[in-house]
Amino acid sequence: MSPKIDIQVGDLRTVEVEAICCPVFEDVELQSSTQLVDQATGGQISRLLELGDHKGKLKQNTVLYVAEGLKAPRICLVGLGKMEKLSLESIRQATAKSMTTLRDLGVKSAACWLPDGVTTEQVQALVVGTKLALYQFKQHQTSSDDEQSESKSLEELLLLVPDKNSKVSVERSVRIAEAIADGTILARDLTNQPANYLTPTDLAETASRVAQAEGNGCLDCQIYNRPELIEKGFNALLGVAQGSQEEPKLIQLSYRPDNAAESTDTVVLVGKGITFDSGGLSLKSGSGMMSMKDDMAGAATVLGTMQVIGKIRPNLNVIGLIAATENMPSGTAQRPGDVVKSYGGKTIEILNTDAEGRLVLADALGYAKTFNPKAVVDLATLTGAVVTALGRCVAGIMGTDQELIDQLKAAGQTSHERLWQLPLFDDYDDALKSDIADVKNIGDGTAGAIAGAAFLKHFAQGCPWAHIDIAGASEYLKGNAYLPKGASGYGVRLLTQFIRDLDAKTI
Ligand code: BES
Ligand code: ZN
Ligand code: ZN
C-alpha cells in the first residue's frame, strides 16, 4: 500500500511519528539535523558510529530504540554511501530499503528531514523510491500464512522542511513524483494481473477509466472494436486475434494541452498489448508460456504514462495507442504461411504465429503515422532474444532517428530506466524478404531482437521512430530495493522523463 505523504515545517526531535529517518554517509560528518537528534538522545548515534556498527554504506539500515529526548520511539539510520557518489539512484535505493525495513517492523508512520538546498529531483527520487518499494500485488491472496504481515503497511510519510517557502516547492515536487509512481504502479498492477482477469476488453475499460478519472477533460479515450478494425483494415491485428474468443481492441488515448496551437508537436506512444501469448499454432512450450500474461507490459506502460501525462499536463500533444488481443491456437487461428495486408497496405507473410507482437505493432505504427507525429516510440515485450542479449536490468532500443534515440537514452539515465542501443543496419533487411509478400514476420534465426526491429521499420517508415524491446526489463525475477519480484512497470518513468524533457525544450 502506498503511504500518504505530507509535508510540514518542523523538527525531527518533536515530530510525533513511530520512526524518524536519519541519513548517514560513509565519508562525511553527520548532517546537522542528525547531530541535533544525536544530542537529544545523549549521543546514541555517534556512539553507534564510533563502534563501527553502522558504516553509512549504501542501503545499510540500523534501527535504534530511544528512551528519551525524542517524541519518536525509533531512529532508522539510513546508509547513503559516499557523499561524493550520491546520485538520484542511490537516494531511491537507500529510501526504498529503509522504508521496507520500517514497514516490516510494523511501523505505520515515519518522518524524514529535507535539508535546505535539497533539489526537486532528489525529493522526487525519495518519493518514487518509497512508493515503488512498498508496492505489493496481493489481490489474489485470500489469506496469508503470516496473518500479521498482511496488516503491515507504512501509512504515512512526513517530510519535514525548514520553512514555508520550501514547503511550497517540496509540495509541488512531491505531487509530481506521486503521479509518476502511481503511473508505474498502474503498469505493474496491469502486468501482474492474470490473463483471465485482464482481457483486451478489460484493458480498454481501464483506459477509459483513466481518461475519465485523471484527465480533467484533457484526455480523450477512443476504443476501436472489431467492426471498425475490419472497416479500417487493421488486418494484421485481426489476424492475430482470430484464434481467440476475446474481442481485439485498438485503444487510443489522446492528450491535448489546454492551449494547444496548430503547431504544437505530437508524440505517439505505442504499446504491444497481447494479454496472453500462447504462441498461437506455433505453440510455445509449457515453460515458455508460463510468464506470457506479461505480454501486454508495453501496453501497461503506455497506459500508466498517459495517466501521468493527464496529471502533469505537458505542453505537447501525446497520443497513446495500444493494440490489444490474445494470441491463441484454435480451429479459426491464423496459420503459418498465411498472408495479411496491414493497415498501411504492406503485405506480410506469417511464418511463425508466435512472432505476433510485430504484427499488431505493424498496424498500430501504420496508424500512428496518420497523426503526422514528431516522434513515434513503441514499447513491446517483443523477443526472447533481447533477454538473452541484455538480461533484465536494461531494455534494448533501436530506431531510425539517432536524435530521438539519444533523447530517450538521456531520459533513461535520469530515470534509471536504462536503454542500450542495438544496431539497425540495412544489412539486416535481407533476412526478412518474403517470396510471396512484401515482408515475412521472422528472420533467419540470428540477431532476433534486431530482426524484430527491422520488421517494424517497414511500418514506421516516414517518421522519426524508436522501438524499445522490454521483454527483459518488464519483469523482475529477484527483486531489488524498489523493484519487488514481478512486473517492474518499466518505461513509465522513462517515457514521462522523455516527455518532460521535450516539454522543457518547447518552453
Ligand atoms: N512475447 C514473446 C517474446 C518474449 C519472450 C517476451 C520471452 C518475454 C519473454 C514474443 O511474442 C515471441 O514469442 N517472440 C518470439 C519471436 C520468434 C518466433 C521470431 C521469440 O522471441 O522467440
Ligand atoms: Zn509470441
Ligand atoms: Zn508476444
Side-chain angles (χ1 to χ4, degrees):
M1 207 193 73
S2 254
K4 185 170 175 307
I5 301 180
D6 281 328
I7 300 103
Q8 279 179 16
V9 177
D11 185 325
L12 279 178
R13 291 167 300 182
T14 51
V15 64
E16 293 190 39
V17 287
E18 294 177 22
I20 60 170
C21 297
C22 294
V24 182
F25 288 96
E26 260 181 83
D27 53 347
V28 294
E29 287 219 329
L30 287 181
Q31 304 293 289
S32 54
S33 58
T34 308
Q35 279 175 13
L36 294 179
V37 174
D38 190 36
Q39 283 157 17
T41 56
Q44 281 202 50
I45 299 178
S46 28
R47 197 159 329 126
L48 186 109
L49 297 177
E50 269 161 33
L51 291 172
D53 292 0
H54 192 102
K55 295 197 167 57
K57 294 220 179 295
L58 185 61
K59 294 199 278 179
Q60 188 183 1
N61 284 155
T62 303
V63 179
L64 289 174
Y65 296 86
V66 190
E68 54 192 29
L70 295 182
K71 283 264 165 63
R74 298 178 189 84
I75 299 171
C76 178
L77 296 182
V78 180
L80 275 165
K82 292 210 165 75
M83 190 180 236
E84 56 176 27
K85 283 199 176 162
L86 185 71
S87 65
L88 297 179
E89 181 58 9
S90 60
I91 295 176
R92 285 181 207 108
Q93 294 281 344
T95 334
K97 186 72 203 303
S98 54
M99 293 304 160
T100 44
T101 301
L102 293 177
R103 190 254 332 262
D104 293 344
L105 285 174
V107 169
K108 297 247 179 288
S109 58
C112 295
W113 168 260
L114 299 184
D116 236 355
V118 64
T119 67
T120 303
E121 288 78 15
Q122 289 173 332
V123 173
Q124 295 189 351
L126 185 148
V127 171
V128 165
T130 298
K131 286 185 60 112
L132 295 187
L134 296 174
Y135 173 80
Q136 288 173 315
F137 186 71
K138 291 204 154 181
Q139 200 182 317
H140 299 292
Q141 285 168 337
T142 55
S143 69
S144 145
D145 298 345
D146 171 5
E147 284 291 341
Q148 275 194 325
S149 83
E150 190 108 327
S151 61
K152 281 180 184 165
S153 66
L154 185 70
E155 285 163 8
E156 191 192 8
L157 176 64
L158 212 52
L159 300 179
L160 299 177
V161 291
D163 53 54
K164 268 201 155 152
N165 268 351
S166 37
K167 183 175 170 197
V168 175
S169 70
V170 166
E171 182 98 43
R172 217 185 31 229
S173 311
V174 167
R175 299 310 157 214
I176 292 175
E178 283 188 311
I180 295 170
D182 285 339
T184 306
I185 287 170
L186 172 64
R188 285 183 181 178
D189 275 344
L190 291 170
T191 309
N192 279 327
Q193 200 62 269
N196 60 329
Y197 281 83
L198 190 92
T199 63
T201 305
D202 295 317
L203 256 184
E205 276 166 13
T206 310
S208 83
R209 226 182 15 250
V210 165
Q212 274 170 18
E214 309 292 350
N216 312 315
C218 61
L219 262 186
D220 176 62
C221 178
Q222 216 169 337
I223 314 286
Y224 297 100
N225 297 305
R226 196 186 295 268
E228 293 108 297
L229 295 175
I230 295 172
E231 187 200 310
K232 292 191 158 64
F234 288 94
N235 299 316
L237 170 60
L238 287 163
V240 175
Q242 80 189 37
S244 168
Q245 305 273 4
E246 294 295 335
E247 289 295 307
K249 305 279 172 185
L250 184 79
I251 304 164
Q252 180 181 334
L253 279 167
S254 312
Y255 164 82
R256 278 174 74 85
D258 277 342
N259 50 354
E262 267 305 304
S263 58
T264 304
D265 286 339
T266 300
V267 172
V268 186
L269 308 175
V270 181
K272 167 177 171 181
I274 303 295
T275 57
F276 186 72
D277 181 12
S278 69
L281 288 180
S282 313
L283 198 65
K284 286 184 183 293
S285 66
S287 62
M289 226 183 271
M290 221 132 65
S291 66
M292 284 303 132
K293 65 169 186 181
D294 285 7
D295 212 20
M296 34 54 70
T301 296
V302 169
L303 240 170
T305 306
M306 292 310 292
Q307 176 175 294
V308 185
I309 300 289
K311 282 181 179 161
I312 66 175
R313 301 191 171 215
N315 192 24
L316 205 75
N317 296 321
V318 186
I319 293 177
L321 287 181
I322 291 168
T325 175
E326 275 187 339
N327 184 26
M328 298 295 268
S330 77
T332 61
Q334 177 159 264
R335 294 144 293 245
D338 282 1
V339 172
V340 292
K341 184 177 259 186
S342 68
Y343 179 83
K346 280 207 178 188
T347 58
I348 307 167
E349 181 185 15
I350 293 146
L351 290 176
N352 189 318
T353 62
D354 196 13
E356 84 299 336
R358 60 197 76 183
L359 298 173
V360 305
L361 289 177
D363 275 354
L365 289 171
Y367 180 55
K369 287 196 292 196
T370 64
F371 298 99
N372 192 24
K374 189 92 182 141
V376 177
V377 182
D378 78 70
L379 278 98
T381 46
L382 206 74
T383 65
V386 88
V387 194
T388 307
L390 301 177
R392 298 198 174 271
C393 62
V394 61
I397 184 167
M398 289 145 273
T400 50
D401 188 285
Q402 196 55 43
E403 194 188 337
L404 172 62
I405 293 174
D406 289 340
Q407 286 166 343
L408 285 159
K409 277 163 68 177
Q413 284 311 116
T414 315
S415 60
H416 203 72
E417 290 195 320
R418 292 165 295 176
L419 290 164
W420 195 259
Q421 185 173 1
L422 301 173
L424 195 54
F425 304 134
D426 292 342
D427 309 52
Y428 294 105
D429 294 343
D430 276 351
L432 292 163
K433 292 207 165 109
S434 160
D435 293 334
I436 66 159
D438 296 334
V439 62
K440 57 181 180 164
N441 78 330
I442 51 169
D444 60 9
T446 66
I450 299 171
F455 175 88
L456 295 176
K457 189 171 74 171
H458 283 272
F459 305 89
Q461 232 148 34
C463 64
W465 159 76
H467 157 65
I468 302 179
D469 193 335
I470 60 169
S474 62
E475 205 195 345
Y476 237 77
L477 302 182
K478 276 216 278 290
N480 75 16
Y482 65 92
L483 290 179
K485 193 170 170 222
S488 63
Y490 176 97
V492 174
R493 297 186 297 122
L494 166 75
L495 292 179
T496 307
Q497 188 64 44
F498 165 68
I499 300 279
R500 291 176 80 194
D501 291 346
L502 283 182
D503 186 26
K505 266 171 79 180
T506 63
I507 290 169

